[in-house]
Amino acid sequence: MKSFASQFDGPLTGLLQWSQWDALTGRLSAGNDGGWFVYFVGENLPTEPMSPDAFGRFLNEIDRLLRNDHRESYPGIVYVDDPSAPSFVKIYDPNNLGASCGSSEVRVLPGWVVSRTPPAPLAAPVRNPAGRRRWWQALLRNERTLAA
């Protein structure tokens, strides 16, 4: 299995149509066996994969977030290692895209990384906005409630 770092910096395919996003989330849902790590970059590093219920909620909520906050005719901010058999996905926060041409000296990190591989810490150059942190904490709170 490849390391998180090699997957993170490896070649990924960008999703350019919402139908590709729909197909990806369908595949992620179909492969929802409790083996997916979801890392909200800049927050605590997950040490365990998400439960299948929490991962399903994450997919629903991230879909809603992307469609509401990224009001484009294309997703363009999601990258996957293999669209037909995904094991590593980067999802950029539509409210923190930085300089699109790469001219900024600050490397823009994805908002979320979905991976079969346990993640390694990524140093976010700026703190996540309070609203995004509340959104994430609500998802985690639901995860802990289900586990109890």
Side-chain angles (χ1 to χ4, degrees):
M1 179 181 275
K2 291 182 181 179
S3 72
F4 181 84
S6 67
Q7 289 177 305
F8 188 85
D9 291 326
L12 300 173
T13 300
L15 304 185
L16 301 177
Q17 299 174 6
W18 284 109
S19 61
Q20 292 174 306
W21 166 251
D22 294 337
L24 174 64
T25 56
R27 286 186 184 93
L28 293 172
S29 291
N32 184 3
D33 57 4
W36 291 103
F37 290 88
V38 179
Y39 178 24
F40 181 26
V41 177
E43 301 301 315
N44 293 333
L45 195 65
T47 57
E48 299 289 329
M50 272 191 163
S51 72
D53 287 341
F55 186 64
R57 276 193 316 282
F58 168 76
L59 291 176
N60 288 334
E61 292 300 321
I62 199 72
D63 180 70
R64 186 182 349 261
L65 184 146
L66 291 179
R67 291 181 192 276
N68 288 338
D69 290 7
H70 188 65
R71 296 181 185 197
E72 301 291 341
S73 60
Y74 55 91
I77 57 175
V78 178
Y79 299 84
V80 60
D81 61 342
D82 181 350
S84 62
S87 65
F88 194 90
V89 182
K90 290 181 188 179
I91 304 170
Y92 284 82
D93 188 331
N95 292 324
N96 183 27
L97 296 177
S100 61
C101 64
S103 63
S104 170
E105 292 182 17
V106 176
R107 180 180 184 192
V108 177
L109 295 174
W112 301 270
V113 177
V114 177
S115 175
R116 290 286 192 179
T117 307
L122 298 168
V126 296
R127 186 167 167 86
N128 288 314
R132 284 288 190 258
R133 289 195 330 271
R134 283 190 299 273
W135 177 88
W136 181 248
Q137 290 163 355
L139 279 171
L140 295 182
R141 205 170 20 257
N142 287 338
E143 165 82 343
R144 288 188 292 272
T145 301
L146 287 173

